[in-house]
Amino acid sequence: MADDKEVEKTIAEDLVVTKYKLAGQIVNRVLEQVIAKCVPGASAREICEFGDKLILEETSKVFKKEKDSKKGIAFSTCVSVNNCICHFSPIPSETDYILKQGDLAKIDLGAHIDGFIAVVAHTVVVGVEEVTGRAADVLLAAYLASEAALRLLRPGNENYAITDVVQKISAEYACKPVEGMLSHQLKQFRIDGEKSIIQNPSEAQRKEHEKATLETYEVYAMDVLVSTGEGVGREMDTRCTIYKKTDEVYQLKLKASRMFYSEVRNKHGSMPFNLRSFDKETSARLGVVECVNHKLIEPFQVLYERPGELVAQFKFTALLLPSGTHKITGLPFDKSICKSDRSIKDPELNSLLNSSAKSNKKKKKKAGAEEAMEVETAA
């Protein structure tokens, strides 16, 4: 446990809010540039490498005077296409994916400043100006579910209220949220805080997953993943490339594993990392095996829906401040490009979506320009 003198830093401190918002601005700028690269014929691997390089460049420019301050990638850039649900970020020795016109590409990435994490995900349809059919259904379902979730991310609300509304909106578009996916509370240097919001839980998951009430000064990474299919992720033969150190302890036997684990600890700490960030890919691939077998490091598996199905994702980071919920990551989504025969009929859901998502109290005197990303409009 932390020493008594090590008080947990929260967004009750102005400097912490500044660091979160700065990380959020970086993440949004990087996301815009990554989206611009998602064109027919582009390599998913090269887009991922480009995103990670940008995050490192951008974070290196801020808080230079804080010599001991760690900053950089909080989640490696992923480009997961069509029925690939998440975490596709291949290393050079693995099979690449070349984007095609009409592909549904989910871009997922994150940055941190001094351990204060901002993450984001956005779905684009490659090289297409109008989206129809099931692609339109799943995009609208995921986007509107994320907008509804934002409106419920308020102190005093329960996590299961968000679970239920994501389920209902997905159903209006004949889609399902991906089962068991979690949106975590964020803490300093921790991407998976204690509280979480679960999507589409199975009976067993519903029993295990704890109810929680949202509180002021908490931060959440709200991640909505919706599928045209049954909403169950499965591993295929795509090799995992993103991992994270756990708090487990074990004496590693192999020299390669010890060297790898030492580099993980020193370079990444408890942040997720990609094997791509290691100079010697072969050594990293060798070293990670024993670490995973003994739970020193956990994998972020590449998951898939059934072939032919489509998955859309929208993720944003939100600060629950006394002045309201501040959405610090996420780009506008033009839902008018989606031509769907389906729409939300439930008056309660429409009422929620038409309510304001903006801060609900007077802005503090210095909030000014940094209030920018609250949420553009009501859906």
Side-chain angles (χ1 to χ4, degrees):
M1 296 298 291
D3 295 327
D4 292 342
K5 61 177 183 269
E6 264 191 55
V7 179
E8 187 179 289
K9 291 183 177 178
T10 73
I11 52 171
E13 250 181 89
D14 283 352
L15 181 59
V16 172
V17 173
T18 300
K19 287 176 178 177
Y20 268 117
K21 288 192 171 181
L22 203 49
Q25 288 165 6
I26 287 170
V27 154
N28 282 345
R29 281 202 301 274
V30 171
L31 176 61
E32 276 185 309
Q33 293 177 73
V34 169
I35 287 172
K37 295 274 185 192
C38 291
V39 295
S43 149
R45 181 195 297 123
E46 286 174 12
I47 295 170
C48 294
E49 288 169 352
F50 171 74
D52 285 359
K53 182 167 167 279
L54 272 184
I55 293 170
L56 290 172
E57 283 172 7
E58 291 278 337
T59 50
S60 71
K61 296 173 189 171
V62 298
F63 281 95
K64 287 184 172 178
K65 287 180 181 167
E66 287 193 8
K67 293 292 179 220
D68 298 333
S69 176
K70 287 183 161 57
K71 55 203 175 182
I73 296 167
F75 204 83
S76 189
T77 309
C78 302
V79 179
S80 308
V81 181
N82 297 334
N83 68 315
C84 181
I85 296 170
C86 54
H87 306 150
F88 186 79
S89 188
I91 51 179
S93 63
E94 296 296 325
T95 308
D96 196 1
Y97 180 89
I98 304 302
L99 295 181
K100 302 186 296 295
Q101 182 147 335
D103 275 345
L104 215 67
K106 297 165 286 296
I107 300 150
D108 187 1
L109 54 90
H112 77 96
I113 293 167
D114 193 22
F116 299 110
I117 299 164
V119 287
V120 74
H122 193 86
T123 303
V124 294
V125 185
V126 178
V128 171
E129 288 179 12
E130 185 174 289
V131 189
T132 58
R134 295 299 277 151
D137 292 341
V138 77
L139 270 170
L140 286 169
Y143 171 68
L144 294 172
S146 75
E147 287 289 293
L150 172 61
R151 286 154 176 77
L152 291 174
L153 272 173
R154 299 280 163 94
N157 283 351
E158 281 212 340
N159 54 354
Y160 269 100
I162 298 173
T163 301
D164 295 342
V165 87
V166 170
Q167 194 84 26
K168 285 176 185 171
I169 289 176
S170 300
E172 296 270 324
Y173 288 93
C175 293
K176 286 188 178 175
V178 178
E179 182 182 290
M181 287 289 174
L182 296 172
S183 295
H184 281 282
Q185 182 185 1
L186 298 175
K187 295 195 168 186
Q188 189 179 21
F189 293 109
R190 190 158 173 208
I191 206 161
D192 53 354
E194 291 88 358
K195 293 184 186 179
S196 63
I197 298 151
I198 194 168
Q199 278 198 168
N200 191 14
S202 64
E203 284 301 313
Q205 287 166 343
R206 196 173 271 273
K207 282 178 190 147
E208 279 176 24
H209 188 257
E210 288 184 26
K211 283 187 177 170
T213 302
L214 311 182
E215 294 177 54
T216 307
Y217 298 125
E218 289 178 343
V219 182
Y220 285 88
M222 188 65 224
D223 192 4
V224 175
L225 282 138
V226 178
S227 168
T228 57
E230 59 189 28
V232 177
R234 50 185 68 73
E235 290 172 44
M236 306 285 274
D237 52 4
T238 307
R239 200 185 282 250
C240 174
T241 57
I242 301 175
Y243 298 86
K244 182 178 78 68
K245 188 177 85 63
T246 68
D247 296 328
E248 294 290 322
V249 178
Y250 174 77
Q251 188 60 49
L252 293 161
K253 306 286 187 285
L254 299 175
K255 185 183 177 187
S257 309
R258 291 197 297 274
M259 285 173 70
F260 170 77
Y261 187 67
S262 170
E263 194 173 342
V264 168
R265 245 185 359 215
N266 297 329
K267 199 169 163 185
H268 304 286
S270 55
M271 286 290 173
F273 61 89
N274 194 309
L275 293 183
R276 196 169 46 233
S277 66
F278 293 80
D279 294 334
K280 294 179 180 170
E281 186 199 303
T282 319
S283 305
R285 279 175 56 178
L286 186 65
V288 77
V289 177
E290 190 185 6
C291 295
V292 169
N293 287 344
H294 295 283
K295 298 185 169 50
L296 292 181
I297 283 174
E298 61 188 11
F300 288 82
Q301 300 291 3
V302 186
L303 298 176
Y304 289 85
E305 197 16 306
R306 289 188 187 282
E309 302 296 354
L310 297 169
V311 178
Q313 177 186 27
F314 290 91
K315 180 187 339 183
F316 61 85
T317 305
L319 313 182
L320 275 58
L321 288 162
S323 58
T325 297
H326 295 241
K327 180 186 180 196
I328 61 164
T329 67
L331 296 180
F333 175 73
D334 179 10
K335 62 184 191 298
S336 70
I337 65 164
C338 296
K339 309 299 179 198
S340 170
D341 297 334
R342 296 180 168 92
S343 62
I344 295 177
K345 304 284 195 295
D346 185 322
E348 280 186 23
L349 294 176
N350 279 319
S351 170
L352 176 64
L353 286 164
N354 288 323
S355 66
S356 171
K358 291 192 185 296
S359 298
N360 52 14
K361 292 189 183 172
K362 292 201 297 270
K363 292 179 181 177
K364 284 191 195 166
K365 47 191 178 296
K366 65 174 190 179
E370 291 213 308
E371 297 283 332
M373 280 156 301
E374 263 36 331
V375 146
E376 293 67 41
T377 55

